[in-house]
Amino acid sequence: MKKLKIFPLILAICLIFAFGAPAAFALEEPNIGAQAAVLVDTSTDSIIYSRAMDEQRAPASLTKIMTALLALEAVEKGEASLDEMIVAQDNCREGLDEDSSTAGIVPGMSLSLNELLYCTLLSSANEACNIIAARIDGSVEAFVEHMNQRAAELGCTNTNFVNTNGLPAENHYSSAYDLYLITKEAIKHPLFLEICDTKSYTSALPEINNGKPMENSNALINPNSPYNMNNYVYEHAHGVKTGYTRAAGYCLISTAQKDGINLVAVVLGCDGWLNAQIEEYKNFEDSIALYNWAFDNFEYQTVINASQPLGKTNPIENAAGKGVAILKPEKNIELLLPKELTPEDIEVVPSLNSETLEAPIAAGTVLGKAKVFIDGKEYGTINLVASEDVELSGGLVFMQKLKAFFSQTWLIVLLSIVIIVGGGFLALYLHYRHLRNEHIKKRRLMEQRRAEEERRKWEEENGVTDPDISYEDDLYSGMNFSDINKDDIGSSSEYEEELMKEYEEEQDFRSYGSDGTDSLSDFDWDDIVK
């Protein structure tokens, strides 16, 4: 994306925000010991706090969130049912150590998918994950491939799974932020949240967990959690999942809601009894510290108001009127920000999707984006849209309508027919004119020949034998010219012309009948046509 090179927009934004101003607030960060963590406001999807959130780390049993997600999505698609009974395959316990968390499921045992999900998320049963995998995709290997494919679809860039349960394995890793992305998708399913919020669950099958209740290991919501000797119950908390291996340390993903603020916290690599020989479990303490820090110091603030224009573009090609688009935010931006934050601490960086724009542009068309930064950290992004229609110039509108009209199929067909018929008619007319002209030429030629014959007969009858003797000498010989003006009589040439005129009149009279049709029987029509 290219930076928006329009001074009016930048000037307008500068009137609202101070660009590049150093942060005037100095909010003290929370005191946590997690090696990687992220705290996210789920309402705006903005990161409130992070530490090594993209670092690839062993996820331990947090892996099971993806396993449960794929099972719930299969149910949603109708590819599986919560009530269907599933038989545990022979290799369902493959790779499990003696101290691996388990619900006591053995090969050949039949359980419902709903039961298996409770075993997976509450008892953190590794064998239950393998049973679910074989049912959904036919084998554990195919299911693991499915897990990685789904992770990529969710935007995870630092995740690779090699098993269904998170047991230590080479090249099996994820990150705090990727685990947030997976959890964000999982909590969209009501049953997932219902199971994760369940404090204790007892199976109807006596073999499951030796008939004892399965206690939720999340000490933030369950006072009976085996980790809750220090009273970690947090009244605003819900779900999601605990995890531990020596490589991963103590991990926890949880959610909390207070005063309309919805947060998800992911903490990885925390200390506890097994890895640091301390009685505290820092995954719970760090999560509480993050929540208290956010609830005490943050509130929702309107950073950008959708009703307020943020400037205008450069002239738009082929546009009518002012020829520019007035830019405004697509909607309000409300961000969870430090309470002491001032407008001078907020930096808004706009950009257009394209440096050149062309009319027409409909109102609401996304033309760019505006990003909000605080102390160099990105807090949110909003689309910039055209506040009103940008019409095409009148001349181009007329040309487009004309082009559209003449592009209609029926009109093209009609014009083609007219051109073909008209062309054929014109060809016939030109052929007719040619034949008529030839006919007239031949008729005149024949009339000239007949006139010549009449002249010769007259010469013979009047004793004119020498063509050099004029007709007037022959006519006037032996006559008394005392009272006659030869000029009034005319020469032999004028006589010949008069004779020709009479002959033509006679021929015209004889050549056409009373109905106006040509009756020249002397002419050879075949010759004329040729």
Short mmCIF file of all heavy atoms in Angstrom, two decimals, residues 55-109:
data_model
loop_
_atom_site.label_atom_id
_atom_site.label_comp_id
_atom_site.label_asym_id
_atom_site.label_seq_id
_atom_site.Cartn_x
_atom_site.Cartn_y
_atom_site.Cartn_z
N GLU A 55 7.25 -15.48 19.33
CA GLU A 55 8.32 -16.45 19.56
C GLU A 55 7.77 -17.87 19.53
O GLU A 55 6.75 -18.18 20.15
CB GLU A 55 8.96 -16.18 20.92
CG GLU A 55 10.14 -17.09 21.24
CD GLU A 55 10.75 -16.74 22.59
OE1 GLU A 55 11.49 -15.74 22.66
OE2 GLU A 55 10.45 -17.45 23.57
N GLN A 56 8.43 -18.75 18.79
CA GLN A 56 7.99 -20.15 18.68
C GLN A 56 8.36 -20.90 19.95
O GLN A 56 9.53 -20.97 20.33
CB GLN A 56 8.64 -20.81 17.46
CG GLN A 56 8.22 -20.18 16.14
CD GLN A 56 8.96 -20.77 14.94
OE1 GLN A 56 9.81 -21.64 15.10
NE2 GLN A 56 8.64 -20.29 13.74
N ARG A 57 7.32 -21.46 20.59
CA ARG A 57 7.51 -22.15 21.86
C ARG A 57 6.66 -23.41 21.89
O ARG A 57 5.67 -23.54 21.16
CB ARG A 57 7.10 -21.24 23.02
CG ARG A 57 7.90 -19.94 23.13
CD ARG A 57 7.56 -19.19 24.39
NE ARG A 57 7.78 -20.04 25.57
CZ ARG A 57 8.95 -20.19 26.17
NH1 ARG A 57 10.03 -19.56 25.71
NH2 ARG A 57 9.07 -20.96 27.23
N ALA A 58 7.05 -24.34 22.77
CA ALA A 58 6.25 -25.55 22.97
C ALA A 58 4.91 -25.16 23.60
O ALA A 58 4.89 -24.48 24.62
CB ALA A 58 6.99 -26.53 23.87
N PRO A 59 3.78 -25.57 23.01
CA PRO A 59 2.47 -25.14 23.51
C PRO A 59 1.86 -26.07 24.55
O PRO A 59 0.81 -25.75 25.11
CB PRO A 59 1.62 -25.10 22.25
CG PRO A 59 2.19 -26.18 21.40
CD PRO A 59 3.66 -26.22 21.68
N ALA A 60 2.47 -27.24 24.77
CA ALA A 60 1.94 -28.21 25.74
C ALA A 60 0.46 -28.50 25.41
O ALA A 60 0.07 -28.57 24.24
CB ALA A 60 2.12 -27.70 27.16
N SER A 61 -0.37 -28.63 26.46
CA SER A 61 -1.77 -29.02 26.25
C SER A 61 -2.65 -27.93 25.65
O SER A 61 -3.82 -28.18 25.35
CB SER A 61 -2.38 -29.49 27.57
OG SER A 61 -1.86 -30.75 27.94
N LEU A 62 -2.11 -26.73 25.46
CA LEU A 62 -2.88 -25.72 24.73
C LEU A 62 -3.15 -26.17 23.31
O LEU A 62 -4.04 -25.65 22.64
CB LEU A 62 -2.13 -24.39 24.74
CG LEU A 62 -1.79 -23.80 26.12
CD1 LEU A 62 -1.11 -22.44 25.97
CD2 LEU A 62 -3.02 -23.70 27.00
N THR A 63 -2.38 -27.16 22.83
CA THR A 63 -2.62 -27.78 21.52
C THR A 63 -4.04 -28.31 21.42
O THR A 63 -4.65 -28.30 20.34
CB THR A 63 -1.62 -28.93 21.30
OG1 THR A 63 -0.29 -28.42 21.41
CG2 THR A 63 -1.82 -29.59 19.96
N LYS A 64 -4.59 -28.76 22.55
CA LYS A 64 -5.90 -29.42 22.55
C LYS A 64 -7.03 -28.46 22.15
O LYS A 64 -8.12 -28.91 21.79
CB LYS A 64 -6.17 -30.03 23.93
CG LYS A 64 -5.21 -31.15 24.32
CD LYS A 64 -5.53 -31.68 25.70
CE LYS A 64 -4.69 -32.92 26.04
NZ LYS A 64 -3.29 -32.58 26.32
N ILE A 65 -6.78 -27.15 22.23
CA ILE A 65 -7.79 -26.19 21.78
C ILE A 65 -8.06 -26.36 20.29
O ILE A 65 -9.21 -26.33 19.84
CB ILE A 65 -7.34 -24.75 22.10
CG1 ILE A 65 -7.20 -24.57 23.61
CG2 ILE A 65 -8.32 -23.74 21.52
CD1 ILE A 65 -6.60 -23.24 24.01
N MET A 66 -7.00 -26.57 19.51
CA MET A 66 -7.18 -26.80 18.07
C MET A 66 -7.90 -28.12 17.82
O MET A 66 -8.77 -28.20 16.93
CB MET A 66 -5.83 -26.78 17.36
CG MET A 66 -5.89 -27.15 15.88
SD MET A 66 -6.90 -26.01 14.89
CE MET A 66 -5.69 -24.76 14.49
N THR A 67 -7.57 -29.15 18.59
CA THR A 67 -8.23 -30.46 18.43
C THR A 67 -9.73 -30.32 18.67
O THR A 67 -10.55 -30.83 17.90
CB THR A 67 -7.62 -31.48 19.41
OG1 THR A 67 -6.22 -31.62 19.12
CG2 THR A 67 -8.30 -32.83 19.28
N ALA A 68 -10.09 -29.63 19.75
CA ALA A 68 -11.51 -29.44 20.05
C ALA A 68 -12.19 -28.59 18.98
O ALA A 68 -13.35 -28.84 18.61
CB ALA A 68 -11.66 -28.80 21.42
N LEU A 69 -11.49 -27.57 18.48
CA LEU A 69 -12.06 -26.70 17.45
C LEU A 69 -12.43 -27.49 16.21
O LEU A 69 -13.53 -27.33 15.65
CB LEU A 69 -11.07 -25.58 17.09
CG LEU A 69 -11.43 -24.71 15.89
CD1 LEU A 69 -12.74 -23.98 16.12
CD2 LEU A 69 -10.31 -23.73 15.57
N LEU A 70 -11.53 -28.36 15.74
CA LEU A 70 -11.82 -29.13 14.52
C LEU A 70 -12.99 -30.08 14.73
O LEU A 70 -13.79 -30.31 13.81
CB LEU A 70 -10.57 -29.90 14.09
CG LEU A 70 -9.37 -29.06 13.65
CD1 LEU A 70 -8.26 -29.95 13.11
CD2 LEU A 70 -9.78 -28.02 12.61
N ALA A 71 -13.11 -30.64 15.94
CA ALA A 71 -14.24 -31.53 16.23
C ALA A 71 -15.55 -30.75 16.20
O ALA A 71 -16.56 -31.20 15.62
CB ALA A 71 -14.04 -32.18 17.59
N LEU A 72 -15.58 -29.56 16.79
CA LEU A 72 -16.80 -28.74 16.81
C LEU A 72 -17.16 -28.25 15.42
O LEU A 72 -18.35 -28.15 15.07
CB LEU A 72 -16.61 -27.57 17.77
CG LEU A 72 -16.54 -27.95 19.26
CD1 LEU A 72 -16.11 -26.76 20.09
CD2 LEU A 72 -17.88 -28.50 19.75
N GLU A 73 -16.16 -27.95 14.61
CA GLU A 73 -16.44 -27.53 13.23
C GLU A 73 -17.01 -28.67 12.41
O GLU A 73 -17.87 -28.46 11.54
CB GLU A 73 -15.17 -26.97 12.59
CG GLU A 73 -14.76 -25.62 13.15
CD GLU A 73 -13.51 -25.05 12.52
OE1 GLU A 73 -12.73 -25.82 11.93
OE2 GLU A 73 -13.32 -23.81 12.60
N ALA A 74 -16.55 -29.91 12.68
CA ALA A 74 -17.11 -31.08 11.99
C ALA A 74 -18.57 -31.28 12.37
O ALA A 74 -19.41 -31.61 11.52
CB ALA A 74 -16.29 -32.32 12.33
N VAL A 75 -18.89 -31.04 13.64
CA VAL A 75 -20.29 -31.13 14.07
C VAL A 75 -21.12 -30.06 13.39
O VAL A 75 -22.23 -30.31 12.92
CB VAL A 75 -20.38 -31.00 15.61
CG1 VAL A 75 -21.83 -30.89 16.05
CG2 VAL A 75 -19.71 -32.19 16.30
N GLU A 76 -20.59 -28.86 13.31
CA GLU A 76 -21.29 -27.74 12.69
C GLU A 76 -21.57 -28.01 11.22
O GLU A 76 -22.61 -27.61 10.68
CB GLU A 76 -20.46 -26.47 12.85
CG GLU A 76 -21.17 -25.19 12.49
CD GLU A 76 -20.32 -23.97 12.76
OE1 GLU A 76 -19.27 -23.83 12.09
OE2 GLU A 76 -20.67 -23.18 13.65
N LYS A 77 -20.66 -28.70 10.54
CA LYS A 77 -20.83 -29.01 9.12
C LYS A 77 -21.70 -30.24 8.89
O LYS A 77 -22.00 -30.58 7.74
CB LYS A 77 -19.46 -29.25 8.47
CG LYS A 77 -18.55 -28.03 8.47
CD LYS A 77 -17.17 -28.39 7.95
CE LYS A 77 -16.22 -27.22 8.00
NZ LYS A 77 -14.85 -27.60 7.58
N GLY A 78 -22.10 -30.92 9.97
CA GLY A 78 -22.89 -32.13 9.82
C GLY A 78 -22.07 -33.37 9.53
O GLY A 78 -22.62 -34.42 9.18
N GLU A 79 -20.75 -33.26 9.69
CA GLU A 79 -19.87 -34.40 9.41
C GLU A 79 -19.70 -35.29 10.63
O GLU A 79 -19.11 -36.37 10.55
CB GLU A 79 -18.50 -33.90 8.96
CG GLU A 79 -18.57 -33.08 7.66
CD GLU A 79 -17.25 -32.42 7.32
OE1 GLU A 79 -16.33 -32.51 8.16
OE2 GLU A 79 -17.15 -31.79 6.25
N ALA A 80 -20.19 -34.85 11.77
CA ALA A 80 -20.12 -35.64 13.00
C ALA A 80 -21.27 -35.20 13.90
O ALA A 80 -21.90 -34.16 13.68
CB ALA A 80 -18.77 -35.44 13.70
N SER A 81 -21.54 -36.01 14.93
CA SER A 81 -22.61 -35.71 15.87
C SER A 81 -22.09 -35.85 17.29
O SER A 81 -21.28 -36.74 17.58
CB SER A 81 -23.79 -36.66 15.65
OG SER A 81 -24.73 -36.54 16.69
N LEU A 82 -22.54 -34.95 18.16
CA LEU A 82 -22.10 -35.01 19.55
C LEU A 82 -22.58 -36.27 20.24
O LEU A 82 -21.93 -36.76 21.19
CB LEU A 82 -22.62 -33.78 20.32
CG LEU A 82 -22.02 -32.44 19.92
CD1 LEU A 82 -22.77 -31.29 20.59
CD2 LEU A 82 -20.53 -32.39 20.30
N ASP A 83 -23.69 -36.83 19.79
CA ASP A 83 -24.27 -38.01 20.46
C ASP A 83 -23.75 -39.33 19.90
O ASP A 83 -24.01 -40.39 20.50
CB ASP A 83 -25.80 -37.98 20.33
CG ASP A 83 -26.41 -36.77 21.01
OD1 ASP A 83 -25.85 -36.33 22.03
OD2 ASP A 83 -27.42 -36.25 20.51
N GLU A 84 -23.07 -39.30 18.77
CA GLU A 84 -22.62 -40.56 18.17
C GLU A 84 -21.57 -41.23 19.05
O GLU A 84 -20.75 -40.57 19.69
CB GLU A 84 -22.06 -40.33 16.78
CG GLU A 84 -20.77 -39.53 16.73
CD GLU A 84 -20.20 -39.43 15.33
OE1 GLU A 84 -19.71 -40.47 14.83
OE2 GLU A 84 -20.24 -38.33 14.74
N MET A 85 -21.62 -42.55 19.08
CA MET A 85 -20.69 -43.31 19.89
C MET A 85 -19.46 -43.67 19.06
O MET A 85 -19.57 -44.09 17.91
CB MET A 85 -21.35 -44.59 20.41
CG MET A 85 -22.61 -44.34 21.23
SD MET A 85 -22.33 -43.23 22.65
CE MET A 85 -21.30 -44.29 23.69
N ILE A 86 -18.30 -43.44 19.66
CA ILE A 86 -17.03 -43.65 18.96
C ILE A 86 -16.22 -44.69 19.72
O ILE A 86 -16.04 -44.58 20.94
CB ILE A 86 -16.24 -42.33 18.87
CG1 ILE A 86 -17.06 -41.27 18.14
CG2 ILE A 86 -14.90 -42.55 18.16
CD1 ILE A 86 -16.45 -39.90 18.16
N VAL A 87 -15.72 -45.68 19.00
CA VAL A 87 -14.92 -46.74 19.62
C VAL A 87 -13.45 -46.35 19.58
O VAL A 87 -12.92 -45.98 18.53
CB VAL A 87 -15.14 -48.08 18.89
CG1 VAL A 87 -14.27 -49.18 19.52
CG2 VAL A 87 -16.62 -48.48 18.93
N ALA A 88 -12.81 -46.43 20.72
CA ALA A 88 -11.38 -46.08 20.81
C ALA A 88 -10.55 -47.08 20.01
O ALA A 88 -10.68 -48.30 20.20
CB ALA A 88 -10.94 -46.07 22.26
N GLN A 89 -9.68 -46.56 19.10
CA GLN A 89 -8.87 -47.42 18.26
C GLN A 89 -7.72 -48.04 19.08
O GLN A 89 -7.39 -47.58 20.17
CB GLN A 89 -8.33 -46.65 17.05
CG GLN A 89 -7.29 -45.59 17.38
CD GLN A 89 -7.90 -44.24 17.68
OE1 GLN A 89 -9.04 -44.15 18.12
NE2 GLN A 89 -7.12 -43.19 17.48
N ASP A 90 -7.11 -49.04 18.49
CA ASP A 90 -6.06 -49.78 19.22
C ASP A 90 -4.85 -48.91 19.55
O ASP A 90 -4.17 -49.14 20.56
CB ASP A 90 -5.61 -50.99 18.38
CG ASP A 90 -6.70 -52.03 18.25
OD1 ASP A 90 -7.62 -52.04 19.09
OD2 ASP A 90 -6.65 -52.83 17.29
N ASN A 91 -4.56 -47.92 18.72
CA ASN A 91 -3.36 -47.10 18.94
C ASN A 91 -3.67 -45.76 19.59
O ASN A 91 -2.89 -44.82 19.50
CB ASN A 91 -2.63 -46.87 17.61
CG ASN A 91 -3.47 -46.10 16.61
OD1 ASN A 91 -4.68 -45.96 16.78
ND2 ASN A 91 -2.84 -45.61 15.54
N CYS A 92 -4.83 -45.67 20.25
CA CYS A 92 -5.23 -44.37 20.81
C CYS A 92 -4.29 -43.92 21.93
O CYS A 92 -4.19 -42.72 22.21
CB CYS A 92 -6.67 -44.43 21.32
SG CYS A 92 -6.92 -45.50 22.74
N ARG A 93 -3.58 -44.84 22.59
CA ARG A 93 -2.68 -44.46 23.68
C ARG A 93 -1.22 -44.46 23.24
O ARG A 93 -0.31 -44.39 24.09
CB ARG A 93 -2.87 -45.41 24.87
CG ARG A 93 -4.29 -45.38 25.45
CD ARG A 93 -4.43 -46.35 26.61
NE ARG A 93 -3.66 -45.93 27.75
CZ ARG A 93 -4.08 -45.10 28.71
NH1 ARG A 93 -5.30 -44.59 28.65
NH2 ARG A 93 -3.31 -44.77 29.73
N GLU A 94 -0.99 -44.51 21.95
CA GLU A 94 0.37 -44.54 21.43
C GLU A 94 1.11 -43.24 21.78
O GLU A 94 0.60 -42.15 21.58
CB GLU A 94 0.33 -44.73 19.91
CG GLU A 94 1.69 -44.93 19.27
CD GLU A 94 1.58 -45.23 17.79
OE1 GLU A 94 0.91 -46.20 17.42
OE2 GLU A 94 2.16 -44.46 16.99
N GLY A 95 2.33 -43.39 22.31
CA GLY A 95 3.15 -42.23 22.66
C GLY A 95 2.90 -41.67 24.04
O GLY A 95 3.55 -40.70 24.44
N LEU A 96 1.96 -42.24 24.80
CA LEU A 96 1.66 -41.73 26.13
C LEU A 96 2.62 -42.31 27.16
O LEU A 96 2.85 -43.53 27.22
CB LEU A 96 0.22 -42.08 26.54
CG LEU A 96 -0.87 -41.10 26.11
CD1 LEU A 96 -0.99 -41.02 24.60
CD2 LEU A 96 -2.20 -41.49 26.73
N ASP A 97 3.20 -41.44 27.98
CA ASP A 97 4.03 -41.88 29.10
C ASP A 97 3.13 -42.25 30.27
O ASP A 97 1.93 -41.98 30.29
CB ASP A 97 5.01 -40.77 29.52
CG ASP A 97 5.97 -40.42 28.40
OD1 ASP A 97 6.28 -41.32 27.59
OD2 ASP A 97 6.37 -39.23 28.33
N GLU A 98 3.76 -42.85 31.28
CA GLU A 98 2.99 -43.27 32.45
C GLU A 98 2.39 -42.07 33.18
O GLU A 98 1.31 -42.18 33.76
CB GLU A 98 3.88 -44.06 33.41
CG GLU A 98 4.28 -45.43 32.87
CD GLU A 98 5.08 -46.21 33.88
OE1 GLU A 98 5.25 -45.70 35.02
OE2 GLU A 98 5.51 -47.33 33.57
N ASP A 99 3.10 -40.94 33.16
CA ASP A 99 2.61 -39.77 33.89
C ASP A 99 1.84 -38.80 32.99
O ASP A 99 1.53 -37.68 33.39
CB ASP A 99 3.76 -39.02 34.56
CG ASP A 99 4.82 -38.58 33.55
OD1 ASP A 99 4.76 -39.03 32.39
OD2 ASP A 99 5.70 -37.78 33.94
N SER A 100 1.52 -39.24 31.73
CA SER A 100 0.73 -38.40 30.84
C SER A 100 -0.69 -38.25 31.40
O SER A 100 -1.25 -39.20 31.97
CB SER A 100 0.66 -39.00 29.44
OG SER A 100 1.93 -38.98 28.83
N SER A 101 -1.23 -37.08 31.19
CA SER A 101 -2.61 -36.87 31.64
C SER A 101 -3.55 -37.73 30.79
O SER A 101 -3.44 -37.78 29.56
CB SER A 101 -2.98 -35.39 31.52
OG SER A 101 -2.78 -34.94 30.21
N THR A 102 -4.47 -38.41 31.45
CA THR A 102 -5.35 -39.34 30.77
C THR A 102 -6.68 -39.43 31.52
O THR A 102 -6.75 -39.10 32.71
CB THR A 102 -4.71 -40.74 30.69
OG1 THR A 102 -5.65 -41.67 30.14
CG2 THR A 102 -4.27 -41.23 32.06
N ALA A 103 -7.71 -39.85 30.78
CA ALA A 103 -9.01 -40.06 31.41
C ALA A 103 -9.28 -41.54 31.63
O ALA A 103 -10.40 -41.92 31.98
CB ALA A 103 -10.10 -39.46 30.53
N GLY A 104 -8.28 -42.39 31.39
CA GLY A 104 -8.44 -43.83 31.61
C GLY A 104 -9.15 -44.55 30.49
O GLY A 104 -9.68 -45.65 30.68
N ILE A 105 -9.17 -43.95 29.29
CA ILE A 105 -9.82 -44.60 28.15
C ILE A 105 -8.86 -45.62 27.55
O ILE A 105 -7.68 -45.34 27.35
CB ILE A 105 -10.21 -43.56 27.08
CG1 ILE A 105 -11.06 -42.45 27.69
CG2 ILE A 105 -10.95 -44.21 25.93
CD1 ILE A 105 -11.33 -41.29 26.76
N VAL A 106 -9.39 -46.81 27.26
CA VAL A 106 -8.56 -47.88 26.69
C VAL A 106 -9.16 -48.32 25.36
O VAL A 106 -10.34 -48.06 25.09
CB VAL A 106 -8.48 -49.09 27.66
CG1 VAL A 106 -7.76 -48.69 28.94
CG2 VAL A 106 -9.86 -49.63 27.96
N PRO A 107 -8.35 -48.95 24.48
CA PRO A 107 -8.86 -49.39 23.18
C PRO A 107 -10.10 -50.26 23.32
O PRO A 107 -10.20 -51.09 24.23
CB PRO A 107 -7.69 -50.18 22.60
CG PRO A 107 -6.48 -49.57 23.23
CD PRO A 107 -6.90 -49.22 24.62
N GLY A 108 -11.05 -50.06 22.43
CA GLY A 108 -12.30 -50.82 22.43
C GLY A 108 -13.41 -50.16 23.22
O GLY A 108 -14.58 -50.54 23.06
N MET A 109 -13.08 -49.18 24.04
CA MET A 109 -14.11 -48.50 24.83
C MET A 109 -14.91 -47.58 23.91
O MET A 109 -14.36 -46.97 23.00
CB MET A 109 -13.46 -47.70 25.95
CG MET A 109 -14.46 -47.12 26.95
SD MET A 109 -13.63 -46.22 28.29
CE MET A 109 -12.79 -47.56 29.11
#
